[in-house]
């Protein structure tokens, strides 16, 4: 079992009468961390102290006496300083410049003994009484981190840091989920979902035959946004400037939303087909193939791969990138493999040798998966029975078809 950790920010409603206790806790926590950092620091990495137990022995009693922090908060402050000193140690060891950690911000690190999570509120240890603070959650949590991680019991709330910004209190909560890896070193076979990304037509097509997202709609919206921004820029007024900002934010949110739908679709296909791996073409090679891709399209592809990597981790699925030769020209049907530039005509793929007709992007996605398996076999990674996930079944590296149970 491996744990996947996500961080969620939640705003807290701390009653006015408790602000002074919380603010005092920030200050004492800062002093405690600083005291430990002062003690451990040296610009000679051989003399810098970063070990928690050594820092504890040398500073604990002093910090307890100098502050009213409870023992667990003193330990959290020491751990924070130890981490900072550890970072300094690494830098000094690599002959990089660094200086003694200076703690200036409003931060308190909470752990299981100093924070308690309840359905609609949290309780926090402070220098005074324990403080109860309600969560300020969005009214509509659809497609937000709250829907995915906060209200889902599979994600356990762990450590948190409390921050203060512009007079408001925010809790950054680490949530963790145990993930059963789909494969480990003891299993030899892998099942690969191949993904083909495109700047027109469907954004993503998988080797299982899922056609996801509308690239033309994305491009069209982007053009409309650019035109409107251009017109507003010519106007040049202050209100035009504000409008540019707001339509820019709206467009960014809209497109990210669309790309999430695509990456969720890719993950769904991988999970439903028991895939251990998702394979993409390496972006560098996509840009060779699509030489006129816009900055926006390049961003969109990077964003999809980033989102998929992030979400795949939660399912124990690994993401690989491959440098496929001739993905669009090679026939992916059975053992054919015939490769010719005339096999493809726009969206249509028709093999000049075996006559198989396929959607061109679907054919390319199958080749991405195939290339991934070929790479494994060549590198002798032992996945002798590796398979490509294909529509209604899987095909192994030799082209033998296994009917799917689905
Ligand atoms: Zn063929």
């Amino acid at each position: 079992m491996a744990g996947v950790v996500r961080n969620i920010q939640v705003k807290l409603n701390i009653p006015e009468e408790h602000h002074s206790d919380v603010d005092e806790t920030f200050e004492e926590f800062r002093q405690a961390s600083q005291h430990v950092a002062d003690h451990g620091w040296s610009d000679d990495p051989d003399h810098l102290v970063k070990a928690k137990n050594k820092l504890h022995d040398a500073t604990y009693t002093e910090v307890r006496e100098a502050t009213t922090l409870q023992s667990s908060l003193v330990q959290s402050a020491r751990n924070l300083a130890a981490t900072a000193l550890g970072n300094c140690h690494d830098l000094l060891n690599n002959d990089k410049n660094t200086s003694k950690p200076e703690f200036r911000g409003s931060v308190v690190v909470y752990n299981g003994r100093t924070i308690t999570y309840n359905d609609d509120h949290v309780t926090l240890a402070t220098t005074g009484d324990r403080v109860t603070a309600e969560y300020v959650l969005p009214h509509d949590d659809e497609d937000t981190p709250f829907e995915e991680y906060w209200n889902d019991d599979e994600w356990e709330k762990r450590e948190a840091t409390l921050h203060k910004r512009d007079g408001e209190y925010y809790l950054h909560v680490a949530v963790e989920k145990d993930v059963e890896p789909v494969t480990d070193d003891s299993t030899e076979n892998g099942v690969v979902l191949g993904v083909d990304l495109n700047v027109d037509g469907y954004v993503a097509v998988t080797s299982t035959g899922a056609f996801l997202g509308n690239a033309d709609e994305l491009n069209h919206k982007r053009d409309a946004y650019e035109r409107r921004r251009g017109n507003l820029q010519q106007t040049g007024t202050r209100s035009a400037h504000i409008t540019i900002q707001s339509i820019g934010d709206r467009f960014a949110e809209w497109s990210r939303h669309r790309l999430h739908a695509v990456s969720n679709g890719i993950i769904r296909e991988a999970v439903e087909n028991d895939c251990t791996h998702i394979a993409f073409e390496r972006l560098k090679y996509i840009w060779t193939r699509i030489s006129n891709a816009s900055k926006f399209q390049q961003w969109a592809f990077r964003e999809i791969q980033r989102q998929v990597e992030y979400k795949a981790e939660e399912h124990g699925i690994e993401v690989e990138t491959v440098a496929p030769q001739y993905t669009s020209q090679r026939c992916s049907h059975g053992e054919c493999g015939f490769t010719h530039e005339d096999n493809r005509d726009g969206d249509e793929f028709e093999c000049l040798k075996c006559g198989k007709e396929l959607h061109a992007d679907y054919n390319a996605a199958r080749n991405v998966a195939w290339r991934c398996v070929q790479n494994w076999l060549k590198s002798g990674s032992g996945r002798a029975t590796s398979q490509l996930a294909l529509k209604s079944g899987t095909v192994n590296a030799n082209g033998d078809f296994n009917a799917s149970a689905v």
Side-chain angles (χ1 to χ4, degrees), residues 196-198 281 285-291 327-328 344:
D196 177 63
L197 297 175
N198 300 286
E281 244 181 295
Y285 292 87
I286 301 184
W287 306 141
T288 329
R289 178 161 58 77
I290 313 167
S291 52
T327 38
S328 58
R344 181 179 188 159

Side-chain angles (χ1 to χ4, degrees), residues 331 333 336-338 351 353-356:
C331 174
H333 181 60
C336 178
F338 181 68
C351 179
K353 187 175 169 220
C354 75
K356 183 71 184 175

Side-chain angles (χ1 to χ4, degrees), residues 196 281 289 324-331 338-346 348-350 360-361 363-365 367-368:
D196 177 63
E281 244 181 295
R289 178 161 58 77
Q325 286 85 354
Y326 312 113
T327 38
S328 58
Q329 298 176 14
R330 179 184 180 272
C331 174
F338 181 68
T339 304
H340 195 285
E341 60 183 304
D342 293 339
N343 279 351
R344 181 179 188 159
D345 182 13
E348 301 298 319
F349 181 94
E350 184 179 356
D361 298 335
N363 180 63
N367 281 327
V368 170

Side-chain angles (χ1 to χ4, degrees), residues 282-298:
R282 233 165 261 151
L283 290 174
K284 190 171 87 181
Y285 292 87
I286 301 184
W287 306 141
T288 329
R289 178 161 58 77
I290 313 167
S291 52
N292 59 346
S294 70
K295 281 254 175 339
F296 170 66
Q297 289 163 334
Q298 298 188 21

Side-chain angles (χ1 to χ4, degrees), residues 13-50:
N13 182 10
I14 294 179
E16 193 93 41
E17 65 265 30
H18 296 306
H19 283 194
S20 59
D21 277 347
V22 174
D23 294 348
E24 178 62 21
T25 311
F26 280 129
E27 176 53 22
E28 292 200 2
F29 194 87
R30 190 195 65 74
Q31 287 170 13
S33 311
Q34 192 60 53
H35 185 93
V36 176
D38 290 349
H39 174 83
W41 169 256
S42 165
D43 54 13
D44 175 356
D46 293 338
H47 290 106
L48 185 147
V49 184
K50 59 177 175 124

Side-chain angles (χ1 to χ4, degrees), residues 282 321-323 370-381:
R282 233 165 261 151
T321 55
V322 297
W370 175 81
R371 175 64 64 187
C372 183
V373 170
Q374 291 305 308
N375 288 348
W376 288 345
L377 296 177
K378 265 187 235 155
S379 71
S381 74

Side-chain angles (χ1 to χ4, degrees), residues 146-380:
F146 293 101
E147 185 191 31
E148 241 175 301
Y149 307 115
W150 189 261
N151 298 321
D152 185 339
D153 289 340
E154 281 189 37
W155 291 90
E156 198 170 328
K157 298 176 183 75
R158 308 264 181 179
E159 232 187 36
T161 54
L162 182 68
H163 300 256
K164 188 175 189 179
R165 275 201 318 274
D166 303 327
E168 305 280 1
Y169 298 92
Y170 297 91
L171 200 58
H172 293 190
V173 182
V175 293
E176 186 172 4
K177 176 171 151 178
D178 283 333
V179 174
E180 196 93 52
V182 177
T183 45
D184 54 47
D185 296 339
S186 65
T187 56
E188 285 204 335
N189 53 349
V191 179
V192 188
L193 181 81
V195 182
D196 177 63
L197 297 175
N198 300 286
V199 292
D200 50 25
Y202 296 97
V203 176
V205 178
T206 70
S207 58
T208 49
F211 294 80
L212 304 163
N214 184 337
D216 301 325
E217 186 194 19
L218 276 171
N219 295 333
H220 177 78
K221 279 263 193 184
R222 172 72 187 190
D223 291 346
Y225 158 67
E226 292 283 11
R227 266 199 310 279
R228 230 187 126 200
R229 193 177 64 163
N231 291 340
L232 285 161
Q233 255 159 359
Q234 281 184 348
T235 316
T237 61
R238 196 176 128 71
S239 82
H241 184 74
I242 292 166
T243 312
I244 287 174
Q245 199 124 39
S246 94
I247 61 169
D249 290 348
R250 272 212 311 273
F251 176 73
E253 198 190 317
W254 178 86
S255 39
R256 204 163 266 128
H257 207 89
R258 285 302 154 112
L259 298 181
H260 268 294
V262 173
S263 57
N264 284 336
I266 293 170
I267 296 292
R268 196 172 52 236
E269 283 298 310
V271 170
E272 282 176 2
N273 290 282
D274 295 325
C275 293
T276 58
H277 290 73
I278 296 172
F280 288 101
E281 244 181 295
R282 233 165 261 151
L283 290 174
K284 190 171 87 181
Y285 292 87
I286 301 184
W287 306 141
T288 329
R289 178 161 58 77
I290 313 167
S291 52
N292 59 346
S294 70
K295 281 254 175 339
F296 170 66
Q297 289 163 334
Q298 298 188 21
W299 167 81
F301 282 20
R302 278 199 309 275
E303 181 64 14
I304 289 172
Q305 292 200 2
R306 189 191 67 78
Q307 290 178 4
V308 166
E309 266 177 46
Y310 188 77
K311 293 169 186 179
E313 194 193 3
E314 293 168 18
H315 297 278
I317 296 170
E318 286 176 45
V319 174
E320 295 217 0
T321 55
V322 297
Q325 286 85 354
Y326 312 113
T327 38
S328 58
Q329 298 176 14
R330 179 184 180 272
C331 174
S332 65
H333 181 60
E335 291 179 275
C336 178
F338 181 68
T339 304
H340 195 285
E341 60 183 304
D342 293 339
N343 279 351
R344 181 179 188 159
D345 182 13
D347 281 351
E348 301 298 319
F349 181 94
E350 184 179 356
C351 179
L352 296 181
K353 187 175 169 220
C354 75
K356 183 71 184 175
E357 289 178 43
L358 292 163
H359 188 284
D361 298 335
Y362 173 48
N363 180 63
R366 289 159 59 116
N367 281 327
V368 170
W370 175 81
R371 175 64 64 187
C372 183
V373 170
Q374 291 305 308
N375 288 348
W376 288 345
L377 296 177
K378 265 187 235 155
S379 71

